[in-house]
Amino acid sequence: HLLREVQGDSPGFALALRSRIERSRHGSHAAWHGDTALTGIATWPLAGEAVVLHTNLGLLRERDRSGTAARARSRATWAAALDTELRPDWRGAIEASGTGRERPQWQASLRHALSPQLQLDFGFGAEAGRWTNTRQLNLGLVVVAPVLR
């Protein structure tokens, strides 16, 4: 939910809520895993839209149930990204994120606007300090939806 839109050099703020559940069956035992996340998002224009800092803070609640055993835990989440315009249709970003006491992740990415509503995203990254075992490449198609108020 958009709380305040970025305007000029003034920051913007939003809240995001998501929930998911996965169900599975192992023989005669039913199991499910789910989580719910509440995230506060802030966007800070550092040089208009040319250089933008995005920050997120949130709470992740994870739940598991297998047979009669149930388990739940809550953890803090965070993320920060520095996003810069490279050309009118290209943007670059460096990002870091983490959950609870786990080792943080980092990523560098390039995004190309194919149209105002469609973007191609390419990124690579890893866990901090563990390039060999955790590196990843990402290729994504981003659909820009209208802002919901």
Side-chain angles (χ1 to χ4, degrees):
H1 177 72
L2 183 63
L3 301 173
R4 179 178 161 189
E5 194 169 347
V6 173
Q7 294 179 354
D9 289 334
S10 297
F13 302 98
L15 283 175
L17 176 66
R18 74 159 175 81
S19 188
R20 73 179 177 90
I21 295 176
E22 298 174 5
R23 297 176 189 216
S24 62
R25 181 165 290 283
H26 302 285
S28 62
H29 298 286
W32 63 269
H33 170 79
D35 60 46
T36 302
L38 176 63
T39 305
I41 304 160
T43 296
W44 309 88
L46 302 178
E49 289 186 26
V51 181
V52 180
L53 175 65
H54 304 284
T55 57
N56 300 353
L57 285 175
L59 182 66
L60 176 65
R61 177 77 173 161
E62 297 172 303
R63 297 171 308 282
D64 287 294
R65 181 169 201 92
S66 179
T68 59
R71 183 176 69 111
R73 69 177 175 166
S74 297
R75 300 185 293 161
T77 62
W78 63 272
L82 186 62
D83 182 331
T84 186
E85 181 179 52
L86 303 173
R87 294 183 37 179
D89 56 346
W90 284 92
R91 295 193 72 85
I94 53 171
E95 308 170 43
S97 62
T99 301
R101 296 179 186 266
E102 293 177 3
R103 188 178 290 265
Q105 303 271 335
W106 68 269
Q107 178 172 302
S109 62
L110 287 173
R111 183 172 287 177
H112 176 61
L114 301 171
S115 74
Q117 294 80 27
L118 196 60
Q119 301 170 356
L120 185 61
D121 188 57
F122 172 77
F124 67 93
E127 277 187 11
R130 293 192 178 163
W131 173 254
T132 304
N133 299 336
T134 65
R135 64 180 171 249
Q136 59 185 4
L137 293 173
N138 302 305
L139 180 63
L141 193 60
V142 179
V143 177
V144 180
V147 173
L148 301 176
R149 296 176 194 256

